Amino acid sequence: MNRPAPTQDINEDDLVVGKPKRSAAGVEAVKVSLERGFAEAGVTRTIRSMLRINQRGGFDCPGCAWPESITGARKPAEFCENGAKAIAEEASARTVTPAWWAEHPIGVLREKTEYWLGSQGRITEPMVIRAGETHYTPITWAEAFRTIGEHVNATTPDKCVFYTSGRTANETAFMYQLLARSLGTNNLPDCSNMCHESSGSALNPTIGIGKGTVSLEDFEHAELIFVVGQNPGTNHPRMLSALSEARKRGARVVAVNPLPEAGLFGFKDPQSVSGMLGKSSDVSSHFLQIKVGGDLALFQAFGHLLLAAEEMNPGSVIDRAFIDSATDGFEAYRAARADLDWEATEEATGLTRVEITEIAGLLIESKATIFCWALGLTQQPHSVPTLKEIINLLLMQGNFGKPGAGACPVRGHSNVQGDRTMGIWEKPGEKLLAALDAEFGIDSPRAHGYDSTEALDAFANDEVDVFVSMGGNFALANAETEALEAGMQRAKLTVHISTKPNRSHVVHGQTSLILPTLGRTDRDDKHAGGPQFLSVEDSMSVIHSTQGRLKPVSEHLLAEPVIVARMATAILGEDHVVPWKAMAEDYDVVRDHISRVLPGFEDFNRRVRGRNGFVLPNPPRDTRSFATDIGKGRFTVSPFEALHAPEGHLILQTMRSHDQYNTTFYGLDDRYRGIKDGRRVILINPDDLLELGLEDKSLVDVISTFGGTERRANRFRLVSYPTAKGCAAAYFPEANALVHRDLVARESNTPGFKAMTVRFVPHSLQPGPTLDS
């Protein structure tokens, strides 16, 4: 029997600190997975869900985008602990009914943490709150859509913002961007703006595609795999299987990270006898504990050392034939890397020349190298140049279009890559817009819209009248929490298409609607033609179907494509040229339109019904070609750059807890790091504690400095931890309040969540405004 929702919120005084672990998964992961599922969803719904997660004909996990095999058999349990937690959250039998909203005034809900809000259960009916009201109350679907139409038509398209979470399926995303462009705006910020936007900004101009260039099978052939700025044990646990298998057959795996995360070292495979008996298999062969922001200097040093080795033994290191035939800019790159300031490199990276040279030796030896990365590389001011240095290294050794080699940005949200493929982007290209116009007879706007950071600015400047959120939790996901929340509350209308309560619902606009929708696990069968399925894209460009089979917790839930279609009709009118009603009734109609608009989706309806779906074209991987503006892969030259904290300050990065998925908290046990029953913590090197005159477990207020201004977040607990010296770490989103909106990655405009310069003062000794989230 499932347990009721918790009544108690987080008490930070209950914090327990233990020793960090050196391996991930194992029996405990299985135990936690089952416990969480049974507690929230009950035994029957949990077991039924687990049997279908990531299986052919089942549903795609709403967690990370790590792929499944398309060539071989799949494991009976094709999911990880955090995937099981995500399913437990969504398949929850707990419900948030109108009676619940009546019992909880908005003033009380604003004092609750995201952990408490998200633990309450699935929203069962559409709800509304208007200016001056103290509670959300029920509203009919017809009245909700009429309200949206009235507000949108009372303003201008440029004051409407349509935000998207990566959970959104392909068909929904396509319809959603079509609605925005039919209205006349490209204001389509999405969660990719805050995570892997830097990856696309680096990859598109250098290799002609904003996606990774490897398949899952490439991990079976790689000789060397880099895992950089990534914590697979928590954020992509199924990746550990691929890494440990690669190690068993002799591949080298180099982990580069400021924190010695458990999943970077050992993996107790819960689907093997040895793993269940507690035996850990190796993940990394080498670990470089780099300073936050030091990766650019590291990769430039690798380039210098590879070129030096090639000069000593011509033809032994670089792929000159590939460089000459398929790339441009190599000579300028070679000249830029001819010299290296080792003192500056060691200072920037926190590594010794010996350590760097040893790993460069592995690169020199390898004939097939994969570089994997995640947000540790994408959320710094110099993120895009850093990623371009990875591309330089791959191009130099011809590591595209051959087995076991390529670029692998690992997406942390299940369909964030698919949403971009479907056109969710504030800076669309002319080809997409022209194809949409030709297919539907609309006139898409050409002016760029807001990304997530620009949307924050627009809220702060009172330039948003209507904000629609397709999933997600925008208020907590972005930078400058306090300013964003204040701006959202001044908007005339906020609309949240959601499954569970979250912070964005309670820092709402003057009028706010919550529209409850089906989740991945739910059956979508309210259609004349019978049950419907959707599709998603994983991190390796595979398109496959997803179809839930659980009975929804309420008869009042609507599927996301239906909600989009009814919004569109309410805004644009019943006689609009786009066949909204037909698309909502039969998702094959949506896919037929997609097949004529987006390259690679030809014959979509037939191919997506195949046993493994289909793989989108990828020129670097498929043909060793590059669809850049010059038709070649592009070497780039970037200046040396690193993060430097002034005396008395550290560089702070944000991170997820193991009991967390983005802004969703499954629980309060970050067991791999030994942190339990608290979240307002700062992990700090013991030597830094000593030098700053601070003590372990002391309570501090955190002050970030940027551009001559300060941001403050109060009441954090310092925890002595083996992070890189000069660096510290705090949980996202509690530390988001410290990120100045102008602290962003150049070119991509991604918030600098891994680049805050901070100092600490004893709690409440220097009073200041609290930015607690």
Side-chain angles (χ1 to χ4, degrees), residues 15-28:
L15 176 70
V16 176
V17 179
K19 291 183 178 181
K21 295 185 181 296
R22 296 286 292 186
S23 62
V27 175
E28 192 167 6

Side-chain angles (χ1 to χ4, degrees), residues 30 149 186-187 327 331 345 404 507 521 610 612 649 681 698 768:
V30 176
N186 282 313
N187 288 341
T327 75
E331 292 306 324
T345 298
V507 290
T521 58
N612 297 303
H649 293 69
V681 300
S698 58

Side-chain angles (χ1 to χ4, degrees), residues 450-478:
Y450 298 141
D451 63 19
S452 64
T453 298
E454 292 162 342
L456 191 165
D457 288 332
F459 271 118
N461 296 327
D462 295 329
E463 295 171 350
V464 179
D465 285 341
V466 177
F467 175 73
V468 183
S469 182
M470 179 61 69
N473 186 1
F474 190 68
L476 274 195
N478 213 334

Side-chain angles (χ1 to χ4, degrees), residues 661-695:
Y661 181 73
N662 293 344
T663 59
T664 299
F665 308 154
Y666 303 133
L668 300 175
D669 186 4
D670 192 8
R671 70 174 186 274
Y672 294 155
R673 299 190 183 106
I675 307 295
K676 186 175 182 179
D677 292 334
R679 290 187 53 85
R680 298 186 74 82
V681 300
I682 304 285
L683 304 187
I684 179 172
N685 186 286
D687 291 339
D688 288 323
L689 273 175
L690 185 64
E691 291 179 11
L692 293 172
L694 299 167
E695 294 184 1

